[in-house]
Amino acid sequence: MKISRVEPMLFPWGSLYVRIWTDEGLYGLGECSPMGSRREILTCLEQLAPLLLGRDPRQRDPLLRGLLHRFLKLGDSGILPEALAGLDIALWDLLGKLSGQPLYVLLGGAYRTSFPLYASIGGGAGLTVAQMVERVESFRAQGFQAFKIRMDWGAHRRDADPEKDFAMFRACRQALGDAVPLSFDANNGYSVKTAIRQGRRMAELGLAHFEEPVAPYDYPGLRAVAEALDVPVSAGEHEYTAWRFRELIAEAQVPILQPDVVKCCGISEMRRIIALAEAHNLDLLPHQTQPQVGLAASLHLCATTPLAMPYHEYTGRQPRQEELFEEPLVPDANGVIHLPERPGLGLVLREEAVRRALAG
Ligand code: CA
């Protein structure tokens, strides 16, 4: 069996999928993170494609690890790991289709196959307190039972308006009541001192987890915040390889790791990261903003480890992506997603819908 074609698909709304076809007419489907540099990732995929043609798609690690190390001087963060993530997910999906098994079976079996989602609601920096409360209420009306508000600063800013952030958190907490899990994502926007102050007063109101309080490269700062607070601090969405997670674990000592499967070289590397988390007895709370392919890959991985925290990230439905699939991943009326039993990721593209969307 040979790889006959690598087909990147950049949709008008920014999603970047990639299909790997075999000479027997089967395909596997993957996705690359569209956050930031999708055109550069597309170019990288186009440059890697000829190196995959004619190769056996079942020899995934020698093939893709080989590419990672061959081109490592391009960098072990960002574009190359994100391109490889799409290819790796596609080869796992293909393996599932070849074997007729859902991915979680190939990955070792499921501790659970249902995942309550937390609504991950962004844009805090540009919203008023009332607007954020309105967004939270609208997700609650859809059935979601856990929440996170994100500040999303855009350009790098630090300690821009902590009083407003706290007022926003307090108003959301009041709207939801005390029992509903509510987390806060500072999107790297605080100094260590401000992060500790914010974390303490949010904790008094009930804070499920405190995400990325300080700059992603400030491991000593993360450690200082994590040590000062009783609430768990999380980080990891800006790390792309297991060896970077090793450094994060050793130096930042945060109790929750947040790898993103469409960024960190894919399912194979995320398994290595989960193994590290397990060896250090840490919790897993993946970062994931892509509601179909990326989410499916992330949930199959979470199914196979007891480290995965109860709620998985979900940024909301995207009807244009749902239309691409025969049976898209959609949460039920209680904000829970049930993993499909179909082979691989469990997602089957509607060819006509894909053609239409790519042409649009
Ligand atoms: Ca985040």
Side-chain angles (χ1 to χ4, degrees):
M1 181 183 308
K2 287 177 179 167
I3 295 173
S4 60
R5 187 180 172 206
V6 176
E7 182 193 11
M9 296 180 281
L10 179 56
F11 293 95
W13 57 84
S15 294
L16 177 54
Y17 293 179
V18 57
R19 278 203 280 197
I20 297 181
W21 291 87
T22 73
D23 53 357
E24 295 171 10
L26 271 179
Y27 72 82
L29 176 64
E31 181 169 21
C32 307
S33 172
M35 297 170 77
S37 40
R38 59 187 76 105
R39 296 232 163 252
E40 290 78 5
I41 300 167
L42 178 66
T43 303
C44 186
L45 284 172
E46 287 165 352
Q47 287 170 342
L48 294 175
L51 303 173
L52 273 68
L53 298 183
R55 302 288 295 269
D56 184 338
R58 297 165 301 182
Q59 301 289 338
R60 183 193 56 251
D61 280 1
L63 186 52
L64 298 186
R65 294 293 279 178
L67 292 176
L68 176 63
H69 288 281
R70 182 169 164 185
F71 296 110
L72 204 48
K73 64 183 167 197
L74 293 176
D76 66 359
S77 295
I79 291 162
L80 179 63
E82 288 170 330
L84 290 171
L87 297 170
D88 180 85
I89 295 168
L91 288 180
W92 274 103
D93 183 45
L94 179 64
L95 190 64
K97 287 171 174 159
L98 288 169
S99 63
Q101 300 292 329
L103 204 51
Y104 68 78
V105 171
L106 299 184
L107 293 170
Y111 290 84
R112 59 183 168 127
T113 55
S114 290
F115 292 86
L117 305 167
Y118 74 77
S120 176
I121 306 167
L127 298 177
T128 65
V129 169
Q131 284 170 329
M132 180 57 93
V133 170
E134 203 175 299
R135 285 196 185 183
V136 167
E137 295 284 18
S138 116
F139 274 91
R140 182 150 73 163
Q142 294 169 48
F144 292 96
Q145 293 172 26
F147 302 83
K148 178 178 84 185
I149 58 170
R150 315 192 311 264
M151 296 302 102
D152 289 335
W153 303 108
H156 181 70
R157 293 180 74 184
R158 207 172 70 151
D159 296 346
D161 195 352
E163 291 307 318
K164 181 203 157 192
D165 305 344
F166 179 66
M168 189 173 270
F169 182 83
R170 187 175 49 202
C172 292
R173 169 50 77 210
Q174 282 165 354
L176 290 168
D178 289 343
V180 176
L182 174 63
S183 296
F184 184 84
D185 187 344
N187 290 112
N188 316 109
Y190 292 146
S191 62
V192 170
K193 199 174 157 191
T194 300
I196 292 172
R197 180 158 175 269
Q198 294 288 81
R200 281 195 179 131
R201 56 184 183 164
M202 288 180 198
E204 279 175 23
L205 303 179
L207 174 60
H209 84 274
F210 190 15
E211 185 162 325
E212 292 208 303
V214 301
Y217 47 80
D218 184 6
Y219 293 174
L222 271 171
R223 181 175 176 172
V225 177
E227 280 178 352
L229 298 178
D230 289 332
V231 292
V233 171
S234 67
E237 68 177 81
H238 296 288
E239 312 295 350
Y240 293 81
T241 58
W243 62 78
R244 292 296 301 271
F245 271 92
R246 178 180 61 86
E247 291 171 16
L248 180 74
I249 291 167
E251 294 177 30
Q253 300 198 1
V254 290
I256 303 176
L257 301 184
Q258 300 189 283
D260 182 329
V261 69
V262 298
K263 295 172 82 174
C264 69
C265 305
I267 289 167
S268 305
E269 190 73 356
M270 190 149 149
R271 291 181 91 193
R272 299 179 188 104
I273 294 161
I274 290 171
L276 275 177
E278 193 166 309
H280 290 86
N281 199 24
L282 302 173
D283 285 332
L284 180 74
L285 187 65
H287 177 261
Q288 191 50 244
T289 61
Q290 302 310 305
Q292 295 299 324
V293 183
L295 182 63
S298 193
L299 292 180
H300 279 284
L301 278 160
C302 284
T304 63
T305 171
L307 304 181
M309 293 175 74
Y311 296 93
H312 192 285
E313 179 162 37
Y314 187 68
T315 53
R317 293 183 61 169
Q318 293 185 21
R320 288 180 301 184
Q321 281 205 65
E322 290 175 14
E323 282 169 19
L324 299 176
F325 298 97
E326 287 181 9
E327 294 175 69
L329 272 190
V330 176
D332 71 13
N334 298 310
V336 178
I337 280 192
H338 307 276
L339 266 183
E341 287 292 324
R342 296 179 296 278
L345 293 169
L347 291 168
V348 179
L349 285 168
R350 297 168 57 221
E351 298 299 335
E352 185 47 41
V354 170
R355 265 194 296 276
R356 242 192 344 262
L358 288 173

